[in-house]
């Protein structure tokens, strides 16, 4: 009888422990267990990364986890313009990042290859690519992101005057209580259904990580949310819910990027080569056409003299 009671007690204790270990609200791929409860996610080096699920997960950890899932055939679907002349977008997409112990990106990334580049605090390449001798002295902070959103068609008109407050409130509620005052400007193109959102922090601020906000919102709009809850970023403007269908993110760093002509993509270079070849071909056509005309003229002169 005593043994039965002990077994029942142990079973109840185990059940209580399991119930007290809640799932990770900010990352659906996380595994949460143990006493005390700990949440982890697998990284691409087959190690577990400990997570703080009370906050948005650092972007570097998220990309590392996505690479692990992609390389193990696991699903990763949980499916205005430059604001400044130094702004740039992420043209490289996801890669296998190297993270600091606090989840920030290391300044130099190589994606497990011999080719390396320097990134900003959002993990976006901000230099030309080089070899492993490339030096990245420090991680340059992104202090301003511009979010170009496009919402789906709605019935009736959107109250543009209420839009800024609605967007700021939705960002504050969904993305780890980001301060509403960080949403500094909203522009709205009703005909194109485009909403331009500027989110800024003071230069030197290392408390607020804009890359987390931008990355979580990109997943909300483009794929499926990273949150355990599959609700999406859908601001309420009055009684109208705005469902987003597209997003483009511009990054502005505390220091300008150092791209050169070497950073041109193969497609752009190919276009330039075609244009140059076309110009040369055109010049050659003109040259030979004139030469033929001169030859005809030279042959015609002796005949005219003979006729005289």
């Amino acid at each position: 009888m005593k043994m039965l009671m002990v077994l029942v007690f142990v079973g109840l204790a185990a059940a209580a422990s399991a119930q007290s270990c809640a799932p990770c609200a900010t990352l659906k791929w996380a595994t949460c267990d143990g006493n005390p409860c700990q949440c982890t996610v697998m990284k691409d080096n087959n190690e577990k990364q400990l997570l703080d699920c009370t906050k948005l997960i650092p972007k570097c950890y998220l990309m590392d986890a996505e690479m692990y899932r992609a390389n193990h055939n696991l699903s990763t679907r949980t499916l205005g313009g430059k604001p400044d002349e130094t702004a740039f977008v992420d043209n490289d997409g996801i890669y296998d990042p190297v993270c600091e112990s606090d989840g920030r990106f290391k300044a130099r990334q190589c994606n497990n290859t011999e080719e390396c580049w320097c990134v900003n605090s959002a993990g976006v390449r901000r230099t030309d690519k080089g070899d492993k001798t490339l030096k990245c002295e420090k991680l340059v902070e992104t202090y301003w992101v511009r979010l170009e959103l496009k919402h789906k068609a709605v019935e009736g008109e959107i109250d543009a005057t209420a839009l800024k407050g609605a967007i700021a409130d939705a960002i504050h509620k969904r993305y780890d209580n980001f301060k509403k005052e960080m949403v500094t400007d909203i522009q709205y193109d009703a005909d194109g259904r485009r909403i331009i959102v500027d989110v800024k922090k003071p230069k030197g601020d290392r408390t607020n990580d804009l890359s987390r906000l931008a990355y979580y919102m990109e997943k909300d709009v483009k794929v499926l949310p990273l949150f355990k809850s599959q609700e999406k970023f859908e601001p309420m403007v009055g009684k109208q819910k705005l469902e987003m269908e597209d997003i483009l993110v511009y990054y502005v760093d505390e220091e300008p990027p150092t791209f050169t002509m070497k950073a041109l993509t193969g497609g752009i270079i190919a276009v330039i080569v075609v244009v140059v070849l076309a110009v040369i071909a055109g010049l050659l056509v003109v040259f030979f056409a004139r030469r033929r005309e001169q030859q005809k003229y030279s042959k015609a002169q002796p005949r005219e003299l003979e006729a005289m």
Side-chain angles (χ1 to χ4, degrees):
M1 186 66 180
K2 289 183 178 180
M3 180 61 69
L4 180 61
M5 293 179 64
V6 169
L7 291 174
V8 170
F9 177 78
V10 170
L12 291 173
S17 175
Q19 290 176 356
S20 66
C21 198
C24 182
T26 52
L27 186 60
K28 60 187 177 183
W29 303 325
T31 300
C32 303
D33 53 31
N35 191 10
C37 180
Q38 289 187 325
C39 295
T40 60
V41 68
M42 292 299 296
K43 301 191 298 180
D44 199 43
N45 60 1
N46 291 316
E47 293 181 357
K48 291 183 178 180
Q49 175 62 58
L50 187 64
L51 303 174
D52 180 357
C53 292
T54 64
K55 302 176 181 178
L56 297 185
I57 309 302
K59 181 181 175 181
C60 193
Y61 289 166
L62 294 173
M63 286 176 58
D64 205 350
E66 284 188 87
M67 287 301 300
Y68 171 83
R69 297 183 69 82
N71 290 334
H72 289 77
N73 297 317
L74 299 171
S75 174
T76 59
R77 295 174 65 87
T78 41
L79 253 184
K82 295 170 66 172
D84 183 88
E85 63 179 10
T86 65
F88 54 102
V89 298
D90 183 359
N91 289 315
D92 297 322
I94 190 171
Y95 58 89
D96 191 2
V98 180
C99 311
E100 300 284 3
S101 59
D102 61 356
R104 291 175 66 83
F105 290 89
K106 285 189 178 291
R108 191 185 76 167
Q109 298 289 335
C110 302
N111 197 28
N112 295 321
T113 69
E114 297 300 313
E115 192 174 49
C116 301
W117 58 91
C118 302
V119 301
N120 60 14
S121 60
V124 179
R125 180 167 64 87
R126 49 173 280 111
T127 68
D128 295 336
K129 293 182 178 180
D131 56 26
K132 289 200 170 181
T133 62
L134 179 68
K135 302 295 183 184
C136 305
E137 295 182 0
K138 63 178 181 179
L139 187 70
V140 179
E141 190 77 12
T142 297
Y143 79 97
W144 178 4
V145 293
R146 167 164 286 184
L147 310 166
E148 288 198 1
L149 297 160
K150 183 177 181 181
H151 67 79
K152 294 183 178 180
V154 296
E155 294 183 3
E157 295 184 357
I158 300 295
D159 183 0
T161 59
L163 194 57
K164 181 177 181 180
I167 294 288
D169 186 58
I171 287 176
H172 173 74
K173 290 179 178 177
R174 182 155 181 79
Y175 302 113
D176 203 24
N177 291 320
F178 260 82
K179 298 175 182 176
K180 295 181 181 180
E181 55 267 29
M182 292 174 67
V183 179
T184 58
D185 190 36
I186 296 281
Q187 302 170 54
Y188 183 53
D189 171 15
D191 294 333
R193 308 198 309 272
R194 294 170 63 245
I195 306 170
I196 312 302
V197 184
D198 285 322
V199 184
K200 285 185 183 180
K201 65 179 183 178
K203 289 186 177 181
D205 179 354
R206 298 295 184 267
T207 302
N208 298 289
D209 184 357
L210 299 186
S211 72
R212 303 189 193 191
L213 162 67
Y215 202 64
Y216 269 84
M217 188 180 288
E218 279 190 289
K219 295 299 182 183
D220 270 355
V221 174
K222 289 184 176 180
V223 198
L224 284 177
L226 289 169
F227 293 100
K228 187 72 175 177
S229 165
Q230 293 299 286
E231 295 177 3
K232 293 192 173 185
F233 177 72
E234 297 175 330
M236 289 291 296
V237 184
K239 295 182 179 180
Q240 288 184 310
K241 179 183 287 188
L242 296 184
E243 185 179 353
M244 304 301 165
E245 65 179 18
D246 196 15
I247 182 172
L248 177 65
V249 182
Y250 287 96
Y251 301 88
V252 184
D253 295 345
E254 292 181 348
E255 297 177 14
T258 58
F259 296 115
T260 67
M261 285 294 288
K262 290 190 298 182
L264 290 175
T265 65
I268 297 175
I269 292 173
V271 170
I272 293 173
V273 170
V274 169
V275 171
V276 171
L277 290 175
V279 171
I280 293 173
L283 292 173
L284 288 173
V285 169
V286 172
F287 171 77
F288 286 114
R290 287 183 176 179
R291 189 172 179 179
R292 282 196 298 270
E293 289 295 326
Q294 289 174 348
Q295 289 173 345
K296 288 180 182 179
Y297 178 73
S298 298
K299 290 178 180 179
Q301 277 188 327
R303 292 176 183 172
E304 290 175 359
L305 291 173
E306 289 176 2
M308 292 175 64

